[in-house]
Amino acid sequence: VRGNFGVRYVSTDASSEYYAPRPGFVDPVSAVNNNLSPTITTDNASYNDILHSYNLAYDAEDNVVVRFSLAQVMARPNYVDMFSKSAVAGLNDNDPTNQSITKGNVGLKPYKATQSDISLEYYYDNSNMLAATLFVKKVNDFTTFIAARNQKIGVIDNGCNCDNWTVNSKVNGNGGDIKGLELQWQHTLKSGFGAQANYTFADSYV
């Protein structure tokens, strides 16, 4: 029996700079900046994670190996979902019900998963192998979309003289489970050529 284990500590600081909506402001240099604040606003977020990993291998016979692994892993959210820049719609028109603002969320947490697998490997020659692996993953903090209605954001719509907005943003939602089977075959010919084939079946639900 042989194996290893490890611990990884991750500390992350994130920030996003943007110009907040400011209806009525006219930029003297560029019309592109009209209705935006002339000063930069910064959103900040931070998070820390401790990730563990364990790996074991057992030589059941001279040409048969059983492997087991258990690990916590993470993947950061898409940067485009973290941009705090706001897109405003329905401002100062004649419809009092269509005001909306869409923005990213710099505070999105990364996808974090606890995953485990066990495999059986049969080596029927020095470079020939058949293997089967069962795996399961539990994933947390999927990124999802939310629309919060009737929000006050400090911006008055002159069309309805109201501060009543639908705020569209990205948030961390529920997680999900993934489980499946992986099959692998490798065969080398005497000519130096060979073949590889693999098949994976995965079933997921949230």
Side-chain angles (χ1 to χ4, degrees):
V1 177
R2 59 192 181 279
N4 59 69
F5 68 92
V7 179
R8 176 187 176 196
Y9 174 73
V10 181
S11 178
T12 302
D13 296 316
S15 64
S16 180
E17 297 182 344
Y18 64 102
Y19 294 96
R22 183 176 171 182
F25 175 76
V26 178
D27 192 294
V29 178
S30 174
V32 175
N33 299 323
N34 290 347
N35 297 316
L36 295 174
S37 172
T39 59
I40 293 177
T41 300
T42 303
D43 288 346
N44 297 289
S46 62
Y47 56 84
N48 302 305
D49 286 287
I50 298 178
L51 308 175
H52 304 268
S53 66
Y54 308 88
N55 299 279
L56 289 175
Y58 169 62
D59 295 326
E61 296 183 8
D62 289 342
N63 57 348
V64 177
V65 179
V66 179
R67 298 184 190 275
F68 171 78
S69 70
L70 175 66
Q72 290 181 314
V73 296
M74 60 175 282
R76 302 185 190 281
N78 294 326
Y79 285 128
V80 67
D81 294 333
M82 299 174 64
F83 293 157
S84 295
K85 180 181 178 181
S86 304
V88 176
L91 179 66
N92 297 333
D93 60 14
N94 295 323
D95 188 342
T97 63
N98 70 340
Q99 296 83 20
S100 68
I101 182 169
T102 301
K103 63 178 299 184
N105 181 3
V106 73
L108 285 176
K109 296 180 180 178
Y111 303 104
K112 189 175 181 181
T114 300
Q115 59 187 29
S116 178
D117 62 69
I118 185 168
S119 66
L120 179 65
E121 303 171 357
Y122 170 56
Y123 297 88
Y124 58 93
D125 203 346
N126 290 335
S127 55
N128 299 332
M129 178 189 70
L130 283 170
T133 303
L134 294 172
F135 62 86
V136 60
K137 303 174 187 287
K138 184 174 182 60
V139 186
N140 298 321
D141 297 321
F142 281 123
T143 299
T144 187
F145 178 84
I146 189 173
R149 303 185 183 279
N150 304 318
Q151 302 296 305
K152 296 185 182 300
I153 64 172
V155 176
I156 302 297
D157 183 346
N158 294 326
C160 65
N161 193 30
C162 62
D163 182 6
N164 189 28
W165 297 79
T166 296
V167 178
N168 304 309
S169 62
K170 297 294 183 69
V171 296
N172 289 112
N174 296 326
D177 294 331
I178 304 171
K179 58 183 179 180
L181 169 69
E182 182 181 75
L183 302 175
Q184 183 179 0
W185 171 64
Q186 176 179 299
H187 186 82
T188 301
L189 302 175
K190 293 182 179 181
S191 61
F193 291 93
Q196 287 184 334
N198 60 73
Y199 168 81
T200 301
F201 170 79
D203 184 29
S204 64
Y205 56 93
V206 295

